[in-house]
Each structure stands twice: as structure tokens, then as C-alpha cells.
Amino acid sequence: MERNKTIMKLCYLQTALYIVFLTALIRHHRQGMNGKIVLQEIFHLLKRTNKFIVCEGVETKDMVNFLVAEGCDELQGYYYYKPMEMAKFEQLIG
């Protein structure tokens, strides 16, 4: 009975999904299809459940192309900007 309650909670909760292994899989997807397939299936599942996908740790144009093609909604990482001081950030967006 407790198991059913847990499943029900998972079905109705809006959660943020952090995929810790995402960056490693993306980096190695060129070496074999397994990482790419896993990511594609995760993204497919998230999109089918109407989740917003934010990918962190994006470092290369290849990563950007792959993630955009797979339907990621937002990307962030060194490809766009490296960490910076608050003053530089304010200047950038100001």
C-alpha cells in the first residue's frame, strides 16, 4: 500500500530533475551510441510528461547542437559564459 502512495506522489508532483550524469553522457556520446540513446530516451520521457528541460554543463557547439535537436528548453554552461563576478554580470545584462 505504501508503494502505491509513493507512485501516486510521483505522478502528481512537479519536480525538477537533475541529471548528474548528463554532462558525462553528452561528452562521450560521440564514442558510442549508448550515452546518446540514454539521453534521447530521458528527453523523450520528460517531453511526454510536459517537463521543462534545462541542461547545465554545456561546453561545446556539438553539445548545443545535440541538446537543441533533442528539444532542451534552456542551456547553460561554459559555452555561453564562464562564472564571473557580480559587477561583470551586471554590466553584461545592463
Side-chain angles (χ1 to χ4, degrees), residues 9-72:
K9 287 178 186 176
L10 288 174
C11 289
Y12 293 105
L13 287 176
Q14 291 293 322
T15 58
L17 179 62
Y18 252 93
I19 305 170
V20 175
F21 57 90
L22 177 67
T23 303
L25 285 173
I26 294 169
R27 283 185 188 133
H28 298 290
H29 87 269
R30 282 180 260 141
Q31 296 175 3
M33 288 299 294
N34 289 341
K36 186 174 182 178
I37 291 168
V38 169
L39 285 172
Q40 288 170 326
E41 293 303 317
I42 290 170
F43 296 151
H44 182 70
L45 172 68
L46 292 171
K47 285 299 182 182
R48 288 183 61 200
T49 56
N50 298 314
K51 301 296 183 201
F52 191 82
I53 302 173
V54 178
C55 295
E56 298 179 350
V58 179
E59 297 178 355
T60 66
K61 181 66 173 164
D62 286 343
M63 285 180 170
V64 170
N65 292 340
F66 173 74
L67 294 170
V68 168
E70 294 305 320
C72 291

